[in-house]
Amino acid sequence: MSLDGQYDEQNIFAKILRGEMPCAKVYEDGGTLAFMDAFPQSRGHVLVIPRNPSRNLLEVAPKDIGRLFGTVQRVATAVRSALKPDGIVVTQFNGAPAGQTVFHSHVHIIPRYDGEALAGHAAGEMADTDELKTLAEQIRNALEA
Ligand code: 5GP
């Protein structure tokens, strides 16, 4: 999957958006959804996606960009309050050669803790579902505080 191609309605994030697949939800509004990464690179790894279909950042409609990054900033701030990381990586990948593995555009929020190595990108172990739900709840509470 390079940068070109058609949006696949069966991709895993499209299924999450349609409620066909579960996720540990952190935040949602009319334009965006944030949920825990199931194969986290660190404790508290969150994904933010726009609701409208797009395969990568280059395809996100200009009108949706502000809302997407508004949610990224909001959730990153809540991750900071809830989990007290020492740093936060915000990143995203466009096209398989760049490391993208799910072809609905998304932004990673990855907390960094001093002295703790990151698990590999899209190579980590699947996290315990209950643990992800607990983390999502902690971040949600920080969003509401
Ligand atoms: P990409 O490699 O495209 O930048 O990121 C895709 C991300 O989606 C990876 O970090 C991967 O761990 C995560 N992921 C893959 N499948 C699922 C899933 O079924 N549920 C959730 N919550 N995350 C997923």
Side-chain angles (χ1 to χ4, degrees), residues 49-113:
I49 66 176
R51 288 191 184 276
N52 286 332
S54 59
R55 293 175 3 118
N56 55 59
L57 189 71
L58 284 61
E59 293 182 359
V60 177
K63 69 176 177 48
D64 292 337
I65 287 284
R67 199 165 200 183
L68 175 63
F69 279 90
T71 296
V72 169
Q73 187 190 45
R74 235 179 126 173
V75 172
T77 302
V79 165
R80 180 190 188 183
S81 306
L83 305 178
K84 309 279 187 287
D86 300 295
I88 300 176
V89 176
V90 173
T91 191
Q92 57 86 223
F93 304 91
N94 302 289
Q100 186 175 7
T101 60
V102 177
F103 296 91
H104 179 108
S105 48
H106 53 278
V107 179
H108 297 262
I109 298 173
I110 307 174
R112 295 300 313 261
Y113 305 92

Side-chain angles (χ1 to χ4, degrees), residues 12-13 16 21-24 35-41 45 47 92-93 99-103 106 108 121-123:
I12 193 78
F13 295 170
I16 287 174
M21 283 288 292
C23 71
F35 53 95
M36 304 309 296
D37 194 304
F39 304 85
Q41 289 188 257
H45 182 167
L47 299 169
Q92 57 86 223
F93 304 91
Q100 186 175 7
T101 60
V102 177
F103 296 91
H106 53 278
H108 297 262
H121 168 70

